[in-house]
Amino acid sequence: MPRTEAVRPPGASAVDAHEPDCLHLDPETRKDAVRRLKGARGHLEAVLRMLEDPSVYCVDVMKQLSAVQGALTKVNDKVLRSHVRDHVSTAILRGDTDQIVDELMEALKYRG
Amino acid sequence: MPRTEAVRPPGASAVDAHEPDCLHLDPETRKDAVRRLKGARGHLEAVLRMLEDPSVYCVDVMKQLSAVQGALTKVNDKVLRSHVRDHVSTAILRGDTDQIVDELMEALKYRG
Amino acid sequence: MPRTEAVRPPGASAVDAHEPDCLHLDPETRKDAVRRLKGARGHLEAVLRMLEDPSVYCVDVMKQLSAVQGALTKVNDKVLRSHVRDHVSTAILRGDTDQIVDELMEALKYRG
Amino acid sequence: MPRTEAVRPPGASAVDAHEPDCLHLDPETRKDAVRRLKGARGHLEAVLRMLEDPSVYCVDVMKQLSAVQGALTKVNDKVLRSHVRDHVSTAILRGDTDQIVDELMEALKYRG
């Protein structure tokens, strides 16, 4: 599934080769991420409602928060997979490998 | 900071000693959790707006999702600390240690 | 399973109540941890042998390292469970709740 | 830093393009990994010695195990960075993107 916007001739200068504006999240993953994140937002709102009850039990809050985090991790993984497939795997053609590697390692550092 | 609702005489039966309805999240932590979770919800909504832009860059989405996860982890840690301080540390008095340990390990399993 | 060394009268001063020398890892968990850690060390040595081969594939190294980490996490979880059951759940009797909570949160911060 | 063993003409068949035997961990990273893993093994042996003491404190074991895990995570991250730079970023040239992405996501799943 080649993405023309992500591919540049190997001769392109490494200095200005990486233009994030040209490395787009693929439309299908973007749509799926929106759908999942709306679900996670609904779940988060349910936790907020739980917390209105003065007799809420700590462990129940922790369980629900973990479920929300699981949903966000899933979205993050899907975006990551799409990024690796569409942009990291083609870095050699754009000549921006160093930058793409640094960005990826930074993004993984905080992965949930 | 003793919580009367969490303390029962050591002679209480272990069988029915653990009543989550009596182990409440302390009011201050609950209020703080609500405030922080509303912030996280706002951040999540900002990610949803980012995703409306077809030229959004994957790495930017991952960074923002990681920030939201960091906020949720912070809330989870505060609820955990409050739970350990108010309920786990007094399990011996209620006689529900086994149950409280199982619940805690389960809750930690999915910690972000 | 009460541990006499971990129990002190509720009237004990909170200042000097916490003496780690008296809060021992229970013998069964300690023995199990040794057995498992020896297994993990053997696994780590296998990774070191893998790395002697100049044609070793990165992904295979990552997989084996993850397996070692999984083994260490399992040991950490078992020690944690034992600590919560034997020492955290009785903090109210020793009067060292604040210290035991701080220590636990610190230990969990770096949990694999 | 091109690695000739990882680069194949774009016309190569996708079916047999991915030969892990040709995707080697770069020598410098490999050497560094060995040095660090030997250090981690020494640290693990120190934990094993700690556990010979019947009065060892749970929290001290957890702290030391976390330190070992931190060292393993560091090695894993360095191998990952090297893999992304040398092999993932050139997948488009070998035509094995799908395989390299699947492997990477699998390896990240268990990242400590």
Side-chain angles (χ1 to χ4, degrees):
Chain A
M1 205 185 309
R3 285 173 207 294
T4 52
E5 77 275 20
V7 178
R8 225 152 301 167
S13 157
V15 178
D16 58 1
H18 183 73
E19 297 162 24
D21 288 352
C22 299
L23 300 178
H24 306 160
L25 178 55
D26 97 276
E28 204 181 321
T29 305
R30 194 158 59 84
K31 205 171 145 186
D32 180 67
V34 167
R35 196 179 52 76
R36 288 175 183 273
L37 289 183
K38 283 182 178 168
R41 184 182 54 187
H43 205 147
L44 192 54
E45 274 157 6
V47 181
L48 279 164
R49 280 193 300 276
M50 274 177 78
L51 287 165
E52 286 170 14
D53 176 2
S55 71
V56 69
Y57 182 41
C58 316
V59 172
D60 293 332
V61 175
M62 288 193 275
K63 271 185 202 164
Q64 294 309 316
L65 280 180
S66 296
V68 178
Q69 294 209 304
L72 296 186
T73 298
K74 201 154 205 171
V75 176
N76 221 344
D77 275 5
K78 282 171 172 271
V79 175
L80 170 63
R81 169 180 278 273
S82 166
H83 178 57
V84 174
R85 184 195 63 205
D86 299 343
H87 307 140
V88 181
S89 70
T90 54
I92 188 81
L93 299 184
R94 291 187 308 277
D96 61 0
T97 298
D98 285 352
Q99 191 177 341
I100 214 110
V101 169
D102 284 346
E103 279 178 359
L104 183 69
M105 294 309 292
E106 185 70 18
L108 287 174
K109 213 156 95 182
Y110 305 108
R111 190 155 153 272
Chain B
M1 203 184 310
R3 282 168 213 296
T4 51
E5 79 275 20
V7 178
R8 226 152 300 169
S13 155
V15 177
D16 59 1
H18 184 74
E19 297 162 25
D21 287 353
C22 300
L23 300 178
H24 305 159
L25 178 54
D26 98 275
E28 204 181 322
T29 306
R30 195 158 59 84
K31 205 171 145 187
D32 180 67
V34 167
R35 195 178 54 75
R36 288 175 184 274
L37 290 183
K38 282 182 178 169
R41 183 183 55 186
H43 205 147
L44 194 54
E45 274 158 6
V47 181
L48 279 163
R49 280 192 300 275
M50 275 177 79
L51 288 165
E52 286 170 14
D53 176 2
S55 71
V56 68
Y57 182 43
C58 316
V59 172
D60 293 332
V61 175
M62 288 193 274
K63 271 186 202 164
Q64 294 309 316
L65 280 180
S66 294
V68 177
Q69 294 220 323
L72 297 186
T73 297
K74 201 154 205 172
V75 176
N76 222 344
D77 274 7
K78 282 172 173 273
V79 174
L80 171 63
R81 170 180 277 272
S82 165
H83 178 58
V84 173
R85 184 194 62 204
D86 298 344
H87 307 141
V88 182
S89 70
T90 54
I92 189 80
L93 299 184
R94 291 187 310 277
D96 62 359
T97 298
D98 284 354
Q99 192 177 341
I100 215 109
V101 169
D102 284 347
E103 280 177 359
L104 184 69
M105 295 308 294
E106 186 69 19
L108 287 174
K109 213 156 95 182
Y110 304 108
R111 189 154 154 274
Chain C
M1 205 185 309
R3 288 176 203 292
T4 52
E5 77 275 20
V7 178
R8 223 153 302 168
S13 155
V15 177
D16 60 1
H18 183 75
E19 297 161 25
D21 287 353
C22 300
L23 300 178
H24 306 158
L25 180 53
D26 97 276
E28 204 181 321
T29 305
R30 194 159 60 84
K31 206 172 145 187
D32 179 68
V34 167
R35 196 179 53 75
R36 288 175 183 274
L37 290 183
K38 283 182 177 168
R41 184 182 55 185
H43 204 147
L44 193 54
E45 276 158 4
V47 181
L48 279 163
R49 282 192 300 276
M50 275 178 78
L51 287 165
E52 287 170 13
D53 177 2
S55 72
V56 68
Y57 182 41
C58 317
V59 172
D60 293 333
V61 176
M62 289 194 273
K63 270 186 201 163
Q64 295 309 316
L65 280 180
S66 295
V68 177
Q69 294 208 304
L72 297 186
T73 298
K74 201 154 203 170
V75 177
N76 221 343
D77 274 5
K78 281 169 173 275
V79 175
L80 170 64
R81 170 181 276 274
S82 167
H83 177 57
V84 173
R85 184 194 62 204
D86 299 344
H87 307 141
V88 182
S89 70
T90 54
I92 189 81
L93 300 184
R94 291 187 310 278
D96 62 359
T97 299
D98 284 354
Q99 191 177 341
I100 214 108
V101 169
D102 284 348
E103 279 177 0
L104 183 69
M105 294 308 294
E106 186 70 18
L108 287 174
K109 213 156 95 181
Y110 304 108
R111 188 154 155 274
Chain D
M1 203 184 309
R3 283 169 211 296
T4 52
E5 78 273 20
V7 177
R8 226 152 300 168
S13 155
V15 177
D16 59 2
H18 183 74
E19 297 162 26
D21 287 353
C22 301
L23 301 178
H24 306 159
L25 179 54
D26 97 276
E28 203 181 322
T29 305
R30 196 160 58 83
K31 206 172 144 187
D32 179 67
V34 167
R35 195 179 53 76
R36 288 174 182 274
L37 289 183
K38 283 182 177 166
R41 184 182 55 186
H43 204 148
L44 193 54
E45 275 158 5
V47 181
L48 279 163
R49 282 192 300 275
M50 274 178 79
L51 286 165
E52 287 170 13
D53 176 2
S55 71
V56 69
Y57 182 42
C58 317
V59 172
D60 293 333
V61 176
M62 288 194 275
K63 270 186 201 163
Q64 295 309 315
L65 280 180
S66 295
V68 178
Q69 295 220 323
L72 297 186
T73 298
K74 201 154 203 169
V75 176
N76 222 343
D77 275 5
K78 281 170 173 275
V79 175
L80 171 63
R81 170 180 276 273
S82 166
H83 177 58
V84 173
R85 183 194 63 203
D86 298 344
H87 308 140
V88 182
S89 70
T90 54
I92 189 81
L93 299 184
R94 290 188 309 278
D96 61 359
T97 298
D98 284 353
Q99 191 177 340
I100 214 109
V101 169
D102 284 347
E103 281 178 0
L104 183 69
M105 294 308 295
E106 187 70 19
L108 287 174
K109 213 157 94 181
Y110 304 107
R111 190 154 154 274

